[in-house]
Amino acid sequence: MPKPADPQDRCLAVLEDGQVITVAGREFRVAVSQRRHLGLTVERDGSLTLRAPRNCAVARAETFLREGEGWLADKLRRRAVHPPAHPVREIRDGESFTYLGRTYRLRIGGEGHAGVRIFAGRMVIDQDLAQDPTGARRVLIAWYRKAGQRWAQGRLQPWAARMEVREPEIVVRDVGNRWGTYRPGGGGPGSMALHWALFQLPVHLIDYVIAHELAHIRISGHGADYWALLRQAIPDCEDRKEELDDLGRRLWLGHVRNGA
């Protein structure tokens, strides 16, 4: 006959990276990192990720998830009403791509201009690259990363000053199922990562994501004090969040026809 579980052992149990826990009938995949607070993410595929600090007690995590059940139910309800609809693009003349809220028609250019550029109101890609959809996809994403990095670097200082925080290091890359992340840097200003696809959005929504992450330098989590701080910098932050949720589900995430 198996020995009954010791309640004391359960209280001492800690979360492990990659494990799956079930609370209130929902499954959550655990991602352990150097963060200090618990966080919950609804991934783009609908799965649930519990982000936890090292040596976080299982009991603490279960309490956190039960207390956040109302928020999560509302998030999933909205997702069911407005499911993601990310488009698939074709590498052909006339296909549309967006940068900073403006739509550009793609033009397959001649040889001699490697990569991607915006010229005369069009997004131009080298003809040789256009023959390979997978290669074209890679070069387009690299262009968004480079252009977004340059734009964000110039945008960061005014927002950091408004939020009264030091400017973190900033990088533009694929950050998975989030638009931005912030990681503390010990004694330094930390680092911010922004998703390359974010730079398809209008400027005021990119600003919202930048300010959103900068606010985490002062306050972790998304409690009432966090939103009060963000609202000081962006009074209409709730409206911008709703607009981001709506437009974000329809952004191009790199899928091309006959390619990766």
Side-chain angles (χ1 to χ4, degrees):
M1 180 176 179
K3 180 182 178 181
D6 187 337
Q8 183 66 22
D9 290 342
R10 179 168 179 74
C11 290
L12 296 175
V14 298
L15 295 172
E16 296 181 4
D17 188 55
Q19 83 175 95
V20 175
I21 64 173
T22 302
V23 176
R26 303 189 195 278
E27 290 189 347
F28 302 84
R29 183 184 63 83
V30 176
V32 175
S33 68
Q34 297 290 347
R35 64 184 296 142
R36 291 176 293 175
H37 300 278
L38 287 159
L40 179 58
T41 302
V42 180
E43 307 293 356
R44 291 200 180 98
D45 63 1
S47 62
L48 305 173
T49 300
L50 174 64
R51 304 185 186 280
R54 298 186 185 281
N55 300 316
C56 177
V58 172
R60 175 189 170 193
E62 291 175 342
T63 298
F64 170 81
L65 292 172
R66 290 192 183 95
E67 291 177 349
E69 172 60 25
W71 173 88
L72 178 57
D74 181 63
K75 189 85 170 178
L76 294 175
R77 187 162 48 248
R78 292 187 183 188
R79 179 185 174 86
V81 175
H82 302 290
H86 301 296
V88 176
R89 300 293 191 215
E90 292 188 53
I91 308 302
R92 59 172 176 79
D93 272 316
E95 181 63 281
S96 61
F97 288 87
T98 305
Y99 177 61
L100 300 183
R102 178 179 175 182
T103 298
Y104 295 87
R105 295 295 179 181
L106 188 67
R107 181 165 70 84
I108 308 300
E111 299 179 358
H113 295 282
V116 175
R117 66 195 187 282
I118 290 179
F119 179 75
R122 301 287 292 270
M123 184 174 285
V124 184
I125 188 169
D126 180 77
Q127 185 171 0
D128 289 340
L129 286 172
Q131 304 305 311
D132 174 18
T134 300
R137 169 191 180 275
R138 184 167 56 250
V139 172
L140 281 162
I141 291 175
W143 181 87
Y144 274 106
R145 289 184 61 180
K146 183 177 180 180
Q149 177 90 28
R150 184 170 57 247
W151 186 90
Q153 284 290 168
R155 205 74 170 179
L156 186 62
Q157 190 279 329
W159 281 107
R162 182 179 297 186
M163 306 292 291
E164 299 181 343
V165 297
R166 295 172 60 190
E167 293 179 52
E169 297 294 325
I170 191 168
V171 63
V172 175
R173 58 181 176 83
D174 188 333
V175 292
N177 294 296
R178 291 177 286 178
W179 298 123
T181 66
Y182 170 74
R183 292 185 180 277
S191 61
M192 178 192 300
L194 300 175
H195 199 297
W196 64 264
L198 184 70
F199 295 91
Q200 298 168 70
L201 291 169
V203 167
H204 70 284
L205 295 183
I206 307 174
D207 280 343
Y208 165 77
V209 175
I210 290 174
H212 182 105
E213 298 307 328
L214 288 174
H216 283 306
I217 297 178
R218 295 177 58 182
I219 300 176
S220 299
H222 295 93
D225 53 348
Y226 170 85
W227 287 105
L229 172 63
L230 186 57
R231 200 174 294 112
Q232 290 177 11
I234 305 180
D236 65 340
C237 60
E238 286 92 349
D239 292 337
R240 295 198 198 191
K241 181 182 184 304
E242 288 188 11
E243 189 177 357
L244 175 63
D245 289 343
D246 179 45
L247 293 182
R249 69 187 181 86
R250 291 180 272 132
L251 289 184
W252 180 63
L253 296 181
H255 302 299
V256 295
R257 203 168 304 283
N258 299 321

